[in-house]
Amino acid sequence: MTERSSIESSPDASVRELRLESLVGHRLRGSDGKPLGRIEEIAAEVRGTDWIVVEVHVGPGALLERLAELTSLVPLFGALHRRLNARHRVPWDRIDFTDPSRPRATVRRAELERV
Amino acid sequence: MRVCLVRDILDKQLLDVTNQNAGKVDGIVLEMRPGEPTRVHCIEVGPITLLRRLNRRLGDWFARVDAHFGEGRGVPIRIPISRVILDSPSLRIDLAVDNLPVMALERWLRQHVVARIPWS
Amino acid sequence: MKRLIGIALGIVTSIGGFLEIGSITTAAQAGADFHYQLIWAVVLGTICIALLIEMSGRFAAVSKHTIADAMRERFGLHFFMVPLVLVFFVSLLVLAAEMGGVAVAIEMVTGVHYPVWALPVGLLAWGLLWYGTFSVIENGVAMLGLITIAFLVAALQLGPDWHALVSGLAPTLPDKQPAHYWFIAVSILGASVSPYLFYFYSSGAIEEKWDATYLGSNRIVAAVGMGFGGFLNIAVLVVAALVLAPRGIHVEKYTQLPLLLSSPWGRLGFALFAAALFITCLGATTEIALALAYQIAQGFGWNWGEDLAPRDDARFSLTYTIILVLATLLVLVGLDPLKLTTLSMALTAASLPVSIVPFLVLMNDRSYLGEHTNGWLGNISILVVSVLASIVALVSIPLEIAGGS
């Protein structure tokens, strides 16, 4: 599938551009090939005018999260809501974006920290 | 300071130096340079980026149409991230939107359509 | 003192703006076919819209965001587009129905068939929006809408059977035509709970620069204004039950509608009905056209504002222009205004969950509302009503279409 391709050509061939909005929603696989979840958030550290990308949050995916939000409307469903909404951090430098439509992490699910 | 790009930046309203609406953040471009950490390069505003998110072909078609409207058109409008100011809860750019292509359609409609309607 | 005038004005405009072609037609059909049995649906619809209007006013006053603006920011592009597209198309049908209502009102007076009036009506509504300001439209048109109090006077004068009327407050199963009964019930709900209203209302609150100090007056305006509006809607149903039902008239043609007032009051009543239909439908036309333009402009981050001159928000102004053109075309092709009305009201009901659930999620988001988020009772009641209405609508629309032809 090429329609989600997120690389743009750049005059300097060694510089690669990634589109954040096309990364979001992609399934991220761990080093053992098992899915870690879908990319839902990308966090950056602002240092002056430099915005350094530091980590990715993976979760159940936007659709499931939207459904989970429904449960937040009903008071007793709080626990279910937190469960459905679980997100994990993956450090940016542990992800391989060689093929941006198939990003792959160099960690396993068990090593991840909860957001 | 830590910023969540999806929650805090993407799809958020932009205000310019004169407090005018400058569109929503329709796209965010990250830049990977060998041997350097990945940085946020710029944000993109405007229908080309927006439509490409909904459907790649629709966006490309719009870009081709847009290209006929003058020099520098037909490509997504980029604003360097260094121009973006986090002024919670709003998101500002330290540019005047009137000088940006963001308002090109607005200007065109104002001059060519609205101006021709009497007493407008 | 200024605040008191504001509250009074808000209440008056809510009352004057409550009735329109949808609520008049559906209540008239309910009264004609089922006497007082469907009063509960009007009451339920009124409570729901009062709650929703209070919520959207509160949202705008506290967060300084309009609903459409926040939906895009909170849910992202894709989840913003789904309700946008759905509300857009359903509301476009409702808009055409309202413009049809204005055109029909002119036909009643002039005798010239309504499609001829599509273009003048479109131009009139467009002229109001293009050259007028928000307060001229909202206050002026809605104030004139107070003419609909005529329905309440007629209902009282005709003297309803109060005992039967009160028993209609409790939902009961019909002893005939169950599919038709439920179809009308959800059409009534769709007519009162119009999603465009909360886009409109929150935008109005931003245009009038509300802040948290408006929360009290917002609550009063929503409760009292919508409450009285609901009484007017019940009055239409009662009049229909007293005037149409005994003669065995089922509302099948829009030309039967003026009977509601002409039957008790003769020529004067006929003129009153035409005037009421004209004013209220014109008011609703401008509201819907604005609401859809607000929704698009805010979702895409443009300049917007009915108080700005069109040259200062060209994209916004041309958006409502195009919307009015589209709706005018729908009237021009001569779709039957009555059928269009009932169908668009039922479709509104069917689509309620898609438009209301994201709205409810926003109303529970502390990052926008802080301590002013919804209570669980409000959440659950709106959620249950919209889901039930949608299910009933989806079942009864095909049955009604199959049975009606």
Side-chain angles (χ1 to χ4, degrees), chain C residues 33-363:
Chain C
D33 295 351
F34 299 100
H35 289 91
Y36 304 139
Q37 209 183 350
L38 275 163
I39 286 181
W40 65 268
V42 180
V43 174
L44 188 63
T46 306
I47 294 174
C48 283
I49 193 61
L51 287 174
L52 287 166
I53 286 296
E54 189 278 329
M55 289 178 195
S56 46
R58 169 157 45 100
F59 187 86
V62 176
S63 75
K64 311 285 193 300
H65 279 75
T66 63
I67 300 298
D69 190 20
M71 281 210 188
R72 167 82 194 270
E73 298 201 352
R74 175 71 166 67
F75 301 114
L77 183 62
H78 290 89
F79 284 89
F80 167 74
M81 289 304 290
V82 175
L84 174 77
V85 171
L86 194 73
V87 170
F88 186 88
F89 282 106
V90 174
S91 301
L92 197 62
L93 289 182
V94 180
L95 178 60
E98 303 293 350
M99 291 175 74
V102 185
V104 161
I106 307 178
E107 175 184 327
M108 286 170 184
V109 177
T110 60
V112 180
H113 197 41
Y114 73 90
V116 175
W117 301 108
L119 213 53
V121 167
L123 264 175
L124 174 63
W126 175 82
L128 278 175
L129 293 177
W130 193 269
Y131 300 108
T133 62
F134 187 80
S135 55
V136 166
I137 294 162
E138 177 67 356
N139 302 338
V141 178
M143 198 85 85
L144 292 173
L146 286 181
I147 193 173
T148 49
I149 289 176
F151 288 106
L152 194 60
V153 178
L156 293 173
Q157 198 186 346
L158 290 164
D161 172 355
W162 291 99
H163 189 75
L165 195 154
V166 170
S167 63
L169 288 173
T172 41
L173 291 174
D175 41 13
K176 51 166 188 179
Q177 298 177 283
H180 186 54
Y181 176 89
W182 289 110
F183 179 78
I184 294 188
V186 290
S187 300
I188 289 174
L189 280 179
S192 22
V193 189
S194 319
Y196 74 80
L197 267 179
F198 44 82
Y199 293 107
F200 180 77
Y201 201 75
S202 64
S203 306
I206 297 290
E207 295 232 31
E208 289 170 355
K209 301 191 170 55
W210 286 16
D211 55 39
T213 62
Y214 280 77
L215 287 179
S217 37
N218 175 48
R219 200 167 301 146
I220 297 172
V221 169
V224 180
M226 292 294 153
F228 271 106
F231 276 119
L232 292 182
N233 206 357
I234 292 176
V236 175
L237 186 152
V238 168
V239 172
L242 292 170
V243 169
L244 304 179
R247 300 173 199 183
I249 297 173
H250 302 286
V251 184
E252 279 151 357
K253 287 196 287 283
Y254 60 88
T255 46
Q256 295 167 319
L257 287 173
L259 280 173
L260 290 172
L261 294 182
S262 70
S263 171
W265 295 334
R267 285 190 63 84
L268 173 71
F270 184 87
L272 266 177
F273 183 87
L277 192 66
F278 180 87
I279 287 292
T280 56
C281 292
L282 184 62
T285 299
T286 56
E287 282 188 7
I288 300 170
L290 266 184
L292 295 181
Y294 281 140
Q295 203 187 358
I296 290 172
Q298 292 158 5
F300 299 145
W302 304 341
N303 298 339
W304 57 274
E306 173 50 22
D307 286 343
L308 293 178
R311 80 184 96 82
D312 292 323
D313 53 5
R315 287 172 294 187
F316 171 75
S317 305
L318 291 168
T319 302
Y320 65 64
T321 305
I322 293 170
I323 288 165
L324 281 170
V325 170
L326 291 176
T328 303
L329 290 176
L330 283 178
V331 182
L332 264 180
V333 298
L335 293 175
D336 180 66
L338 196 75
K339 287 212 174 82
L340 185 61
T341 303
T342 36
L343 185 67
S344 59
M345 297 308 145
L347 283 175
T348 303
S351 61
L352 277 182
V354 179
S355 46
I356 280 185
V357 167
F359 173 72
L360 280 182
V361 172
L362 278 182
M363 289 309 302

Side-chain angles (χ1 to χ4, degrees), chain B residues 6-7 10-14 20-26 49-51 53-55 89 102-103 105-107 109-110 113-114 117-120, chain C residues 65 68-70 72-78 81 126 130-131 297-304 309-318 368:
Chain B
V6 176
R7 191 193 61 195
L10 188 65
D11 291 315
K12 295 295 173 289
Q13 182 69 45
L14 283 171
Q20 267 208 80
N21 282 345
K24 294 257 198 284
V25 180
D26 293 314
T49 312
L50 184 102
L51 291 172
R53 272 170 81 186
L54 296 174
N55 179 293
V102 175
M103 295 295 259
L105 180 63
E106 175 83 25
R107 275 195 298 269
L109 291 173
R110 185 190 304 158
V113 185
V114 175
I117 295 169
W119 312 299
S120 295
Chain C
H65 279 75
D69 190 20
R72 167 82 194 270
E73 298 201 352
R74 175 71 166 67
F75 301 114
L77 183 62
H78 290 89
M81 289 304 290
W126 175 82
W130 193 269
Y131 300 108
Q298 292 158 5
F300 299 145
W302 304 341
N303 298 339
W304 57 274
R311 80 184 96 82
D312 292 323
D313 53 5
R315 287 172 294 187
F316 171 75
S317 305
L318 291 168
Y368 285 101

